[in-house]
Amino acid sequence: MTWDRAVTRNDVARYAQVSPAVVSYVVNKGPKRVRPETEARVLEAIRVLGYRPNAAARALKLRSQEIFGLVLSSGGNALFVELANAIEDAAKAERFAVILTNSRASAAKEREHLRNLVARQVDGILLASVDAVPDISDVSAAGVPIVLLDNTGTVPAVPSLGADLEGGAYAAVSHLIGHGHQRIGMISGPPGDHPDGRETGWLRALSEHGLPEGPLLPAKVSRFGGYQAARRMLAFPGAPTAIFTSGDAQAVGALRAIHEAGKHIPEDVAVISFDGSTEAEYTWPPLSTMRQPVDEIARDAVTALLALKAGGGTPPQHRHYTTTLQARGSCGCADTPA
Amino acid sequence: MTWDRAVTRNDVARYAQVSPAVVSYVVNKGPKRVRPETEARVLEAIRVLGYRPNAAARALKLRSQEIFGLVLSSGGNALFVELANAIEDAAKAERFAVILTNSRASAAKEREHLRNLVARQVDGILLASVDAVPDISDVSAAGVPIVLLDNTGTVPAVPSLGADLEGGAYAAVSHLIGHGHQRIGMISGPPGDHPDGRETGWLRALSEHGLPEGPLLPAKVSRFGGYQAARRMLAFPGAPTAIFTSGDAQAVGALRAIHEAGKHIPEDVAVISFDGSTEAEYTWPPLSTMRQPVDEIARDAVTALLALKAGGGTPPQHRHYTTTLQARGSCGCADTPA
DNA sequence: ATGAAAGCGCTAACAA
DNA sequence: TTGTTAGCGCTTTCAT
């Protein structure tokens, strides 16, 4: 059955013979108590009329849409899906919905999305930026809570969460060294003004083990970027016997390039990467990678956003998360079939 | 600068020495014209005060949040990311945002999400259901426009869009036959009461070419599902020399299983699948697949939703889209490097 | 335990 | 061209 006009709280009140206020009390289980008998009548009316509270009116009154905005870049982040899901779940647990937007590796798009979300008055924004130092001026100007993902502390006074890049890279490269590799190249993200922790970690592992600095090739953070970079790297004189990439997407591209070059993985060229996406489990050979604790990051991000919204004078927190090595075939470890 | 209270339209009106209505006219570029001089004053006031219209109030008044809900299943749909992006873009072109929810292959979760979106009063819902015949009773009861994705016509009176499953499967299997294969197995989706067009197409191609019906193994629509099914299929006596899967995700899993069995692709076992996700481009060997016109589907879906919302007595449309063969290495075609 | 009523900020019909 | 004003449906304080 459909009505011409939506059923409102007033309709319910009339039907249940109570005042509109009581309907609110029942629907919101507060702030006043309602006699069970009355409550039953209201509930019945709601059921019969098929009443659904108007979200916009509620949002207007409460000054909260109970919506978060999430800005991700599918081009770059192999964890896109995992992250989006985890955040959606974490938000839902707090009764929040998530508007998902994709910046597609474009800073301009990212900024546009940010403006857009601000205009929509979302209650908070989670941003996995394309840039190391994102432009969040529109967001700050509007006073909308924001938490940076995939990032630790590059923007003063803005909370951020991210993997321990340097530590993870160090562990990954050290693992490669443990397999006996001496020439270890790296495919990094696009050059930026901000040094990437993964590069630092790679370098540190190399130098601590007395190894020469291998080739470093910046590339777009995407499968194709990794593919191109790996192709070039394999053509170097004295090409590396192992490659560390800054993300799974690049590694997936690198894998293809290595196969095309007719080389064997991991015998001729070993690969290890960073992220721990599901895709990495199903490449050939399966990809060894430093797994980020996505669910934990997502939960903490939502918590941080909520804290910001609540507005207690909590100081911005920069948290980084330890990654764990997921050793599979691509680095030379034995595969554990799924 | 942050104010204690948000800047409202009234503040702007006062500052610009005009009535609140004029501010609205300027902000909405209508419905009345405003003298350029006045408009400039208003614009200036907006700039100075940093005014942002309150989305909730606007939604309340207009009875539209300008938000669509999208329910997808990441487990199942390899096109998850592509589809989500395409829909987000298409919606944004109409000034709509998209709340993304993931049912994770669970019908119960799907229903919960649907209820949730309805409660939020989104302007419409796009659903790529876990089931062939989704339970959308909550949505219909609320009179919320809905369009089914990945589906053609299983629910009466509800518009739906989807790939031409049978035609695509027929083309894929015929292609395999063209490569000389005689025993072609299929990994399908979970058995349902509704026959899957891909199975029909597979069967038809086989029989039209006078070939025996190959093994058919239903499996979860996921990488892991495809992996398991392929393992089993390869162990059959007289295992097929080619496998058609109902989706890229399954194919990716199958690839892994075949590699693990020490067989070569495509020499020992060829693979072809359905979807055309980006991931398929970077498997090893690259995966031949029937590509769905995702962008077109997304645009049409949004258009259909808008039409439904506008409510012209448009009859429900069931549209199916032709898929195109993306031939790559896994079926025996030459790879065209990316 | 219940009700009356004041807005939340905005759009747009109607008035001037 | 500009202003006045009546709601949109809801939450919640303050009365009863």
Side-chain angles (χ1 to χ4, degrees):
Chain A
M1 206 162 355
T2 21
W3 282 264
D4 195 21
R5 198 175 63 74
V7 177
T8 76
R9 193 201 44 169
N10 283 330
D11 301 325
V12 175
R14 202 171 312 119
Y15 187 98
Q17 314 258 43
V18 296
S19 79
V22 172
V23 178
S24 277
Y25 301 153
V26 170
V27 169
N28 305 330
K29 308 188 199 323
K32 297 277 178 61
R33 295 204 75 71
V34 173
R35 181 151 33 100
E37 196 181 305
T38 316
E39 179 174 10
R41 236 177 35 246
V42 173
L43 256 16
E44 170 67 4
I46 289 175
R47 208 184 52 68
V48 171
L49 300 178
Y51 167 68
R52 297 182 170 287
N54 181 311
R58 193 184 149 84
L60 174 58
K61 189 68 185 176
L62 296 184
R63 304 166 164 303
S64 165
Q65 310 252 33
E66 303 196 329
I67 293 181
F68 287 140
L70 173 58
V71 183
L72 250 39
S73 178
S74 80
N77 201 326
L79 292 174
F80 186 90
V81 176
E82 281 92 341
L83 201 53
N85 286 343
I87 285 173
E88 183 215 320
D89 285 352
K92 202 177 66 186
E94 306 287 347
R95 319 194 55 82
F96 276 69
V98 174
I99 290 180
L100 193 265
T101 68
N102 184 350
S103 56
R104 308 212 171 164
S106 147
K109 259 206 163 63
E110 176 176 307
R111 198 161 168 217
E112 189 192 332
H113 283 140
L114 254 19
R115 299 181 73 98
N116 220 292
L117 289 170
V118 167
R120 278 187 182 275
Q121 255 127 349
V122 296
D123 297 285
I125 293 176
L126 293 160
L127 168 63
S129 180
V130 167
D131 292 322
V133 186
D135 173 3
I136 58 166
S137 50
D138 296 315
V139 181
S140 326
V144 175
I146 184 169
V147 168
L148 268 24
L149 297 168
D150 222 16
N151 181 309
T152 27
T154 54
V155 183
V158 174
S160 55
L161 314 176
D164 172 12
L165 267 23
E166 180 176 341
Y170 180 84
V173 175
S174 296
H175 182 79
L176 248 17
I177 294 171
H179 275 298
H181 292 279
Q182 311 254 41
R183 294 197 308 286
I184 303 174
M186 172 169 183
I187 297 175
S188 66
D193 29 322
H194 224 83
D196 185 309
R198 281 163 292 210
E199 285 180 38
T200 323
W202 165 70
L203 237 31
R204 184 159 64 82
L206 255 26
S207 76
E208 281 191 13
H209 291 83
L211 294 178
E213 185 172 328
L216 172 69
L217 234 42
K220 284 220 176 105
V221 182
S222 66
R223 297 182 182 94
F224 186 56
Y227 172 77
Q228 290 179 300
R231 267 172 76 111
R232 287 184 48 208
M233 199 176 278
L234 293 175
F236 286 169
T241 63
I243 298 177
F244 168 59
T245 70
S246 68
D248 282 353
Q250 288 180 331
V252 164
L255 251 28
R256 174 167 176 171
I258 299 169
H259 278 126
E260 279 181 11
K263 307 218 183 252
H264 291 204
I265 306 169
E267 297 81 358
D268 300 328
V269 185
V271 176
I272 196 165
S273 78
F274 204 97
D275 275 350
S277 60
T278 312
E279 185 175 356
E281 197 177 332
Y282 284 88
T283 59
W284 190 256
L287 186 59
S288 300
T289 177
M290 301 304 302
R291 186 207 309 258
Q292 301 194 41
V294 178
D295 291 340
E296 194 184 347
I297 293 178
R299 269 197 308 277
D300 289 354
V302 169
T303 304
L305 214 43
L306 252 14
L308 232 48
K309 185 165 132 70
T314 25
Q317 303 263 331
H318 306 296
R319 292 258 286 271
H320 64 212
Y321 296 76
T322 303
T323 56
T324 55
L325 173 65
Q326 180 71 30
R328 292 193 271 241
S330 75
C331 70
C333 285
D335 275 318
T336 30
Chain B
M1 205 165 352
T2 23
W3 283 263
D4 196 19
R5 199 175 64 75
V7 177
T8 76
R9 194 202 44 170
N10 283 331
D11 300 325
V12 175
R14 203 171 312 120
Y15 187 98
Q17 314 258 45
V18 295
S19 81
V22 173
V23 178
S24 276
Y25 300 152
V26 171
V27 169
N28 305 332
K29 307 189 201 323
K32 297 279 176 61
R33 296 204 72 71
V34 173
R35 178 152 34 101
E37 195 181 305
T38 316
E39 178 174 11
R41 235 175 37 244
V42 173
L43 257 15
E44 170 68 4
I46 288 175
R47 210 184 49 69
V48 171
L49 301 177
Y51 168 69
R52 297 180 171 289
N54 181 312
R58 191 184 150 84
L60 174 59
K61 186 69 185 176
L62 294 183
R63 302 166 166 302
S64 165
Q65 310 253 30
E66 303 197 329
I67 293 181
F68 288 141
L70 173 60
V71 182
L72 249 40
S73 178
S74 80
N77 202 325
L79 292 175
F80 185 91
V81 176
E82 281 92 342
L83 201 52
N85 287 343
I87 285 174
E88 183 215 319
D89 285 352
K92 202 176 66 186
E94 306 287 347
R95 316 194 57 82
F96 278 68
V98 174
I99 290 181
L100 192 269
T101 67
N102 184 349
S103 56
R104 306 207 174 171
S106 147
K109 261 207 160 65
E110 176 177 306
R111 198 161 169 216
E112 188 192 333
H113 282 140
L114 253 19
R115 298 181 74 97
N116 221 292
L117 289 170
V118 167
R120 279 188 180 276
Q121 257 130 347
V122 295
D123 297 285
I125 293 177
L126 293 161
L127 168 63
S129 179
V130 167
D131 291 324
V133 187
D135 173 3
I136 59 166
S137 49
D138 296 316
V139 181
S140 328
V144 175
I146 183 168
V147 168
L148 268 25
L149 298 168
D150 220 17
N151 182 308
T152 27
T154 55
V155 182
V158 174
S160 54
L161 314 177
D164 172 12
L165 266 23
E166 181 177 341
Y170 180 84
V173 175
S174 297
H175 182 78
L176 248 16
I177 294 170
H179 275 296
H181 292 279
Q182 312 254 43
R183 294 198 308 287
I184 303 174
M186 172 169 183
I187 296 175
S188 67
D193 30 322
H194 225 81
D196 185 309
R198 282 162 292 209
E199 285 180 38
T200 323
W202 165 72
L203 237 32
R204 184 159 63 83
L206 253 27
S207 76
E208 280 190 14
H209 291 83
L211 294 178
E213 185 173 327
L216 171 69
L217 234 42
K220 284 221 175 104
V221 182
S222 66
R223 298 181 182 94
F224 186 56
Y227 172 77
Q228 289 179 300
R231 267 173 76 112
R232 286 184 48 208
M233 199 175 276
L234 293 175
F236 286 169
T241 64
I243 299 176
F244 168 59
T245 69
S246 68
D248 283 352
Q250 288 180 331
V252 164
L255 252 27
R256 174 168 175 169
I258 300 169
H259 278 127
E260 279 181 11
K263 307 216 183 255
H264 292 203
I265 308 169
E267 296 82 0
D268 300 327
V269 185
V271 176
I272 196 165
S273 77
F274 203 97
D275 275 350
S277 60
T278 312
E279 185 177 356
E281 197 178 333
Y282 284 89
T283 58
W284 189 255
L287 186 60
S288 300
T289 177
M290 301 305 300
R291 188 206 308 257
Q292 301 194 40
V294 178
D295 291 341
E296 194 185 347
I297 293 178
R299 268 197 308 275
D300 289 353
V302 168
T303 304
L305 214 42
L306 251 16
L308 234 47
K309 185 166 131 71
T314 24
Q317 304 264 330
H318 307 295
R319 291 258 287 272
H320 64 212
Y321 296 75
T322 303
T323 56
T324 56
L325 172 65
Q326 181 69 38
R328 292 193 271 241
S330 75
C331 68
C333 286
D335 276 317
T336 30

